[in-house]
Amino acid sequence: MRKVTRREMLGQSLAAAAGLPLLARQAEGDQTPGTKPKPLKIVVAGAHPDDPESGCGGTIALYTDLGHEVSILYLTRGEAGIRGKSAPEAAAIRTAESQKACAILKAKPVFAGQIDGNTEINRARYDEFRAVLDAEHPDIVFTHWPIDTHRDHRAASLLVYDAWVAAHKAFDLYYFEVEQGTQTQLFHPTNYVDITKTADRKRAACFAHASQDPEGWYRLHDKMNQFRGMEAGCELGEGFVRHCQNPELSVPLR
Ligand SMILES: [Zn+2]
């Protein structure tokens, strides 16, 4: 087992104070006096527009406030998500909503090119998705927990997992939850982030997806934020599962 250096311990305690998973290598690298540490590159990958925002929006806002770079990677453009609209019409509306949500969170939208309700997992799709993810050069990736009632959510999770294995686990992998109980199931967080300060922006980013009746589904996320906050000892929280084979000494938050 590798010995933890004093600098790493300092980096971990600072990261813990911020309430975010930060990598030990950030604490070690680029730390010459007078220079700013290199920002982390974070990718939050979800199946549909509104999934990354609802599962991870408070944490995304915390990261971007700290100067880190976040890309929101949407597997689809929500082509099947608006009744009475054709797939291209729905995709155009939901792409614009995603761009609005990303602007609120100061994140960059990226689209992986699959179709809502018809996502595929096969050799070609694994390779295609991996190329999109690798192009972002992530230090940390968040995605759906794989046990989920929605097929597209399961597809997104497995595509990320396959890319992580193919990349020899070169980035840290975390899972988020959406609509706990009705979609995500059997999810027990290993890590929590205090999102009390950014919950308003998370809500605004979710409500940017106006075509999706956010008044209806966000009520559950309000309860989830409160419950994870209660578990973590803060007002509002987000819970994550950290893959135990992550490459670096990511910070245990609690
Ligand atoms: Zn979804």
Side-chain angles (χ1 to χ4, degrees):
M1 190 176 162
R2 193 166 67 89
K3 216 176 154 189
V4 179
T5 66
R6 194 172 167 278
R7 181 175 283 181
E8 284 173 341
M9 286 179 71
L10 176 65
Q12 288 180 32
S13 59
L14 289 172
L20 296 169
L22 295 179
L23 299 176
R25 63 173 170 265
Q26 188 207 23
E28 281 185 317
D30 301 326
Q31 293 288 317
T32 32
T35 61
K36 279 175 72 175
K38 197 166 168 277
L40 289 170
K41 193 68 205 284
I42 295 139
V43 174
V44 181
H48 311 109
D50 79 21
D51 287 326
E53 295 89 333
S54 56
C56 208
T59 299
I60 293 170
L62 284 167
Y63 274 126
T64 57
D65 281 355
L66 287 169
H68 300 299
E69 296 170 12
V70 179
S71 296
I72 298 186
L73 175 53
Y74 301 100
L75 182 58
T76 76
R77 293 176 187 259
E79 290 83 351
I82 306 179
R83 192 168 293 167
K85 298 284 184 194
S86 68
E89 286 170 341
I93 291 167
R94 299 193 67 188
T95 298
E97 291 173 347
S98 303
Q99 289 163 340
K100 192 174 168 192
C102 284
I104 291 166
L105 298 173
K106 292 186 272 182
K108 178 183 84 171
V110 179
F111 296 92
Q114 290 222 37
I115 301 298
D116 180 12
N118 196 27
T119 51
E120 299 172 340
I121 299 175
N122 55 43
R123 191 184 186 94
R125 290 298 197 181
Y126 278 132
D127 292 346
E128 172 190 83
F129 185 84
R130 185 187 168 198
V132 173
L133 188 58
D134 284 356
E136 298 300 313
H137 304 293
D139 297 304
I140 308 175
V141 178
F142 293 83
T143 191
H144 291 272
W145 175 248
I147 303 175
D148 188 295
T149 56
H150 201 303
R151 288 176 176 172
D152 292 340
H153 296 180
R154 300 198 295 271
S157 187
L158 291 181
L159 288 164
V160 170
Y161 177 76
D162 191 80
W164 182 70
V165 172
H168 306 289
K169 307 169 185 172
F171 52 83
D172 274 14
L173 176 59
Y174 286 82
Y175 294 99
F176 60 72
E177 57 182 335
V178 291
E179 299 198 32
Q180 169 63 252
T182 57
Q183 293 189 334
T184 300
Q185 299 178 342
L186 296 178
F187 183 91
H188 302 288
T190 58
N191 295 65
Y192 296 91
V193 173
D194 179 351
I195 65 158
T196 308
K197 286 184 185 158
T198 54
D200 286 349
R201 262 183 290 157
K202 171 180 182 170
R203 184 184 182 84
C206 290
F207 275 70
H209 297 279
S211 69
Q212 300 304 297
D213 181 29
E215 289 281 357
W217 60 263
Y218 200 77
R219 279 196 290 258
L220 175 52
H221 274 274
D222 270 333
K223 289 179 183 163
M224 289 163 61
N225 296 340
Q226 289 161 9
F227 185 74
R228 296 308 182 200
M230 186 184 74
E231 289 183 308
C234 56
E235 188 181 338
L236 299 169
E238 285 175 340
F240 301 99
V241 172
R242 173 185 180 272
H243 199 297
C244 64
Q245 292 180 7
N246 279 346
E248 298 286 345
L249 292 174
S250 293
V251 178
L253 299 174
R254 294 281 166 189

